Amino acid sequence: MNRGQSFLLLLMGSVALLTLFVILPFVEYVVASAILAFVLYPFHRRLTRWLRRRISKRFGQMLSALTLIFSAIVAVILPLAYITWVFVRDLTAIAAGESSVDVAAIEAEIAAITGQDPEVGDALQTIGELLIQTLFGGLSGVLTTTIRASVGLSLALFLVYYTLIDGPAFVKWIRDTSPLPPDVTADLVDRVDVMTRGVVIGHISVALLQALVAGVGLWAAGIPNVVFWTFVMAVLALLPLIGAFFVWGPAAAYLVIVDQVTAGIFLAVYGVAVIAMVDNYARPLVIDQQAHLNPAVILLGVFGGIYSVGFTGLFVGPIVIGVLAATLETFREDYDAI
């Protein structure tokens, strides 16, 4: 390597670090936009092909991208924004010691069984304060997080548009500029594609489906703060078999404690017959056709992602670990002899 090459590599490394420093405040939204574009691209390709027969290719691409982004806003972003707002509102209320849960009835039942005087209300408040501190850096950080999320979301939508338009060219550029042999590069790109689809479709979508089904059961049984607990179940449902049970199981017991026995029995039966079946049947059906990742690894990515970058980490964390797994698998197969 001559001096010119060394200087160019040093310059590239320096500029790369400066670029990372510039985009670091919004890096989770950059990654999230790439994920959303990745999910939307198959639809974009089909819609563009359909529009191409009627209008020019370039205008068809633009119209397809705008249509899909608008659809994503209506179908995903607005509902997610509402759920997030309700989650933050209820979590803030719990941290302030205000909860619609009948704490007195729970404390009385526990006291009757154990002979102790538990402080359930104080425990709930402490948990709420801990979650507020972990997710937002305290109550004062909620407004800052909201403003930052609004700016980041606007940036992400612009990035999704240009990724849909120029994504294939970018992937081709990666293939052409990769220092790896062409067959290894192709293998790595294919593995990352399969792994990402496995995480997004095979784990996250099933967890969201299970949380939605469980949320309907909580609403029908009359559990308060349904949206809040549905969000919690969306995270816990990534733990197979027993994840969502950590919410609907105690919820059924809570209904029995507060003398709503019929509703409690209904929720328990609904949980076993419906909620658990979503996990037992939908997850293997979807995951068997996608990447195989240990659910414990997915759960680690979810909690680590949320702790590191906030709500977006619910999706970003597992995918980052999935890409790492794809890279390690490629190295094992293509460079095992080294």
Side-chain angles (χ1 to χ4, degrees):
M1 182 181 296
N2 57 39
R3 293 178 59 186
Q5 291 174 323
S6 300
F7 174 78
L8 183 58
L9 287 175
L10 178 61
L11 181 62
M12 289 170 56
S14 301
V15 174
L17 289 176
L18 288 174
T19 302
L20 178 61
F21 177 77
V22 169
I23 69 172
L24 192 59
F26 297 99
V27 66
E28 68 267 31
Y29 297 99
V30 174
V31 177
S33 66
I35 295 169
L36 183 58
F38 177 82
V39 173
L40 293 177
Y41 183 73
F43 303 99
H44 172 66
R45 185 171 53 191
R46 294 186 181 93
L47 184 56
T48 300
R49 189 181 301 121
W50 182 82
L51 290 172
R52 191 183 303 169
R53 305 192 195 104
R54 293 158 177 82
I55 54 180
S56 65
K57 177 180 178 181
R58 186 64 181 178
F59 187 71
Q61 284 184 321
M62 295 170 57
L63 183 59
S64 173
L66 291 173
T67 301
L68 290 174
I69 290 173
F70 178 77
S71 301
I73 291 174
V74 174
V76 178
I77 295 177
L78 288 181
L80 184 60
Y82 171 75
I83 292 172
T84 302
W85 174 75
V86 174
F87 173 78
V88 173
R89 182 196 66 187
D90 293 342
L91 186 59
T92 303
I94 292 173
E98 303 170 2
S99 175
S100 55
V101 176
D102 193 345
V103 175
I106 297 176
E107 291 178 341
E109 188 68 22
I110 295 177
I113 295 174
T114 64
Q116 305 293 326
D117 293 326
E119 297 292 340
V120 176
D122 293 341
L124 284 175
Q125 184 175 356
T126 300
I127 293 173
E129 291 173 349
L130 179 61
L131 288 175
I132 286 286
Q133 183 65 39
T134 301
L135 295 176
F136 308 107
L139 290 173
S140 61
V142 174
L143 179 60
T144 303
T145 303
T146 302
I147 296 174
R148 181 167 171 266
S150 300
V151 176
L153 183 59
S154 301
L155 172 65
L157 291 177
F158 279 106
L159 291 176
V160 169
Y161 172 80
Y162 287 108
T163 303
L164 288 175
I165 296 295
D166 299 323
F170 178 69
V171 173
K172 182 178 183 301
W173 177 82
I174 291 177
R175 290 176 180 268
D176 293 339
T177 58
S178 172
L180 298 172
D183 57 330
V184 177
T185 300
D187 186 29
L188 179 59
V189 170
D190 292 342
R191 287 183 182 277
V192 169
D193 178 78
V194 171
M195 195 68 69
T196 303
R197 293 192 185 281
V199 171
V200 174
I201 299 175
H203 290 274
I204 294 177
S205 63
V206 172
L208 293 177
L209 174 62
Q210 186 182 21
L212 181 62
V213 171
V216 171
L218 295 185
W219 172 79
I223 293 294
N225 306 114
V226 171
V227 176
F228 173 85
W229 293 115
T230 300
F231 184 92
V232 174
M233 286 189 292
V235 178
L236 294 179
L238 289 160
L239 182 63
L241 300 179
I242 61 174
F245 173 77
F246 284 130
V247 173
W248 67 260
Y254 163 77
L255 291 172
V256 174
I257 290 174
V258 297
D259 292 328
Q260 298 183 32
V261 179
T262 302
I265 294 176
F266 160 77
L267 183 57
V269 173
Y270 180 84
V272 173
V274 179
I275 301 174
M277 291 302 102
V278 173
D279 186 83
N280 292 340
Y281 289 100
R283 190 185 297 271
L285 180 64
V286 175
I287 295 176
D288 285 348
Q289 301 175 16
Q290 303 293 329
H292 297 275
L293 277 180
N294 190 294
V297 175
I298 298 295
L299 188 68
L300 177 63
V302 167
F303 282 104
I306 291 176
Y307 183 83
S308 300
V309 300
F311 289 126
T312 313
L314 178 67
F315 306 97
V316 174
I319 289 177
V320 169
I321 293 182
V323 172
L324 173 62
T327 306
L328 294 175
E329 186 67 17
T330 301
F331 181 84
R332 183 185 68 84
E333 290 198 359
D334 292 294
Y335 294 99
D336 189 51
I338 296 179

